């Protein structure tokens, strides 16, 4: 039995805000992050999804005859919603067996002269195989958009993710590392494409006092509650309520609205993000060290796979993503751990074709590896509040389930 707790660990490690972060100041967020990452200038948008929507809109104008966007069949439902809102066609690509990357053969089968873009995805902070997507894209004349929503700070061969493809984007949503409650950063290597993305954004993204007021209040709530006591209220209680109702999609927040808001990000939220960003490199280093400490312990448990980066890549560690041998044992582990306040959760509940509410957005398709990944995977939050006792509790349950 696990101890009852008065606090709750988050499922992903967000950078906690401090009171002093809330002071108004210069809106240097995008410039500060670009300097930290060593990238060309970054373009600020109101969410990761909005960044993708701006990108798809711009690319569609460059290649009006190409309508298909190829995405991994196991990814954030918001990606599918953005493709639909851009007036484009979603084309799913199954995963490699037991891996987050798209399957190379399936990717080649999914792409042709109708393909506008391919979206390799740095899931869970792990660095994806962008080179394979680039090889296929070069062959058919498509663009590559790196979905780095979960991987701000991840590097490959010394440079930031998002720079190998034509465009990359990061998310600053609540819980995804650095957060201004909702925000996104767009990255493009080529100055001409960068200029075009800026023009598209200026054209289609309006100012909205209402949205900015709402996000500002949400950011204040996030700043106040993103700590173990507040998380019990803001995260743990709604989670347990949704699970009691038998609604895992709501429990992990996979139930997104089918329309993506587009609006400018105000100066105050940018200033808050800029203050917090000064602590981001040290925070990411700390999470990485903590993950490297826990990985060997978890890997000693026979039957567990912890997903890791390819050689030469250094991802970020907002949480650990793991696979168990089958769904029955994954579910048995979660029956004990999901509601225990230890930050154990699931990433996305389903492969994209299996969300009932996305029936009009996602084509029906057989994607066995993505379904298998959804059925066997779970996550362990790697927040700074997680202790050795917490990880031992989790390992104890996993050992019992796998015995
Ligand atoms: C969160 C997420 C997005 C969308 O980012 P938002 O900032 O929440 O709009 C896109 N792709 C992946 C893989 C994500 O996890």
């Amino acid at each position: 039995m696990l101890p009852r707790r008065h606090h709750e660990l988050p499922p992903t490690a967000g950078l906690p805000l401090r009171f002093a972060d809330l002071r108004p100041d210069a809106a240097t967020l995008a410039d500060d992050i670009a300097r930290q990452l060593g990238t060309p200038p970054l373009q600020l948008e109101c969410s990761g999804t909005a960044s993708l929507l701006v990108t798809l809109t711009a690319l569609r104008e460059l290649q009006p005859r190409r309508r298909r966007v190829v995405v991994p069949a196991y990814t954030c439902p918001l990606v599918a919603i953005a493709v639909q809102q851009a007036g484009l066609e979603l084309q799913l690509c199954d995963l490699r067996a037991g891996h987050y990357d798209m399957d190379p053969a399936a990717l080649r089968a999914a792409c042709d002269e109708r393909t506008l873009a391919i979206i390799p995805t740095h899931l869970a902070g792990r660095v994806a195989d962008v080179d394979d997507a680039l090889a296929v894209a070069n062959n058919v004349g498509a663009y590559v958009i790196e979905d780095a929503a979960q991987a701000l700070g991840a590097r490959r061969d010394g440079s930031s993710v998002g720079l190998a493809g034509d465009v990359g984007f990061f998310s600053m949503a609540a819980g995804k590392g650095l957060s201004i409650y909702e925000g996104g950063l767009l990255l493009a290597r080529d100055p001409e494409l960068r200029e075009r993305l800026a023009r598209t954004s200026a054209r289609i993204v309006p100012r909205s006092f209402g949205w900015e007021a709402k996000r500002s209040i949400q950011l204040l709530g996030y700043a106040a509650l993103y700590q173990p006591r507040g998380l019990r209220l803001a995260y743990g209680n709604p989670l347990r309520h949704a699970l009691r109702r038998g609604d895992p999609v709501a429990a992990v927040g996979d139930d997104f609205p089918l329309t993506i808001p587009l609006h400018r990000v105000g100066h105050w939220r940018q200033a808050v993000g800029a203050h917090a960003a000064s602590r981001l490199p040290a925070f990411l280093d700390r999470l990485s060290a903590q993950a490297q400490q826990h990985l060997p312990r978890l890997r000693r448990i026979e039957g567990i796979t912890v997903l890791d980066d390819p050689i030469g890549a250094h991802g970020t560690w907002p949480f650990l993503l793991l696979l168990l041998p089958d769904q029955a044992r994954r579910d048995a582990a979660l029956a004990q751990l999901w509601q225990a306040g230890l930050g154990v959760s699931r990433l996305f509940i389903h492969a994209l074709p299996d969300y009932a509410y996305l029936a009009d957005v996602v084509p029906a398709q057989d994607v066995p590896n993505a379904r298998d990944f959804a059925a066997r995977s779970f996550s362990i939050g790697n927040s700074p509040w997680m202790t050795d006792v917490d990880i031992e509790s989790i390992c104890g349950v996993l050992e019992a389930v796998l015995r």
Side-chain angles (χ1 to χ4, degrees), residues 2-3 23 37 59 67 101 105 115 121 179 184 202 243 248 254 267 274 280 296 324 331 348 361 364 380 396:
L2 295 158
R23 69 190 189 275
L37 299 180
L59 297 183
R67 304 299 290 260
D101 273 327
T115 307
T121 301
S179 180
L243 289 176
D254 269 358
H267 280 231
L280 184 63
L324 289 185
D331 288 348
F348 309 118
V361 177
I380 302 176

Side-chain angles (χ1 to χ4, degrees), residues 21-32 35 44 266-277:
D21 293 337
L22 304 178
R23 69 190 189 275
D25 214 331
T28 54
L29 174 58
D31 291 343
D32 291 359
R35 203 171 321 109
L44 180 68
H267 280 231
W268 178 69
R269 284 201 297 141
Q270 293 184 53
V272 174
H275 293 139

Side-chain angles (χ1 to χ4, degrees), residues 83-288:
V83 171
Q84 151 135 328
Q85 195 162 329
L88 296 165
E89 289 166 30
L90 191 69
Q91 172 84 49
L92 301 181
C93 180
D94 201 3
L95 303 184
R96 273 170 61 188
H99 202 276
Y100 52 88
D101 273 327
M102 289 182 280
D103 177 74
L107 184 58
R108 281 154 183 81
C111 295
D112 58 24
E113 73 290 341
R114 291 169 294 185
T115 307
L116 176 66
I118 304 171
I119 310 189
T121 301
H122 303 287
L123 204 66
R126 308 279 50 77
V127 175
D129 185 354
V130 179
D131 287 347
D132 194 54
L134 282 168
V136 177
N138 286 339
N139 237 351
V140 301
Y143 294 99
V144 170
I145 304 169
E146 291 183 53
D147 180 343
Q150 302 186 359
L152 175 62
R155 308 185 84 80
R156 167 143 216 177
D157 300 327
S159 39
S160 170
V161 295
L163 284 169
D166 298 287
V167 181
F169 67 93
F170 303 108
S171 166
M172 295 183 290
K176 282 190 186 170
L178 176 67
S179 180
I180 53 171
Y181 201 82
E182 287 281 9
L185 291 166
L186 255 182
L187 177 55
R189 231 178 330 122
D190 175 45
E192 234 170 273
L193 184 53
R194 210 151 59 227
E195 177 61 31
R196 195 168 263 279
L197 291 168
R199 278 207 308 273
T200 302
S201 176
R203 197 181 73 229
I204 70 171
V205 180
R207 276 179 207 291
S208 163
F209 176 80
W211 272 111
E212 190 54 28
K214 178 173 177 176
R215 293 293 186 239
S216 298
I217 291 164
Q218 288 171 319
L219 180 57
L220 283 173
Y222 176 80
L225 296 174
Y226 197 81
Q227 33 79 17
R229 275 175 185 280
L231 280 161
R232 179 136 208 118
L233 195 76
Y235 165 70
N237 291 346
L239 166 79
R240 282 176 281 275
H241 190 249
L243 289 176
R244 271 201 301 277
R245 281 201 319 268
D247 189 351
V249 170
V252 301
D254 269 358
D255 47 350
F256 297 101
L258 292 175
T259 308
I260 297 150
L262 282 178
H263 62 97
R264 306 240 144 262
V265 176
H267 280 231
W268 178 69
R269 284 201 297 141
Q270 293 184 53
V272 174
H275 293 139
S278 66
R279 301 190 299 278
L280 184 63
F283 181 72
L284 293 178
D285 285 348
R286 174 174 174 190
L287 297 189
S288 177

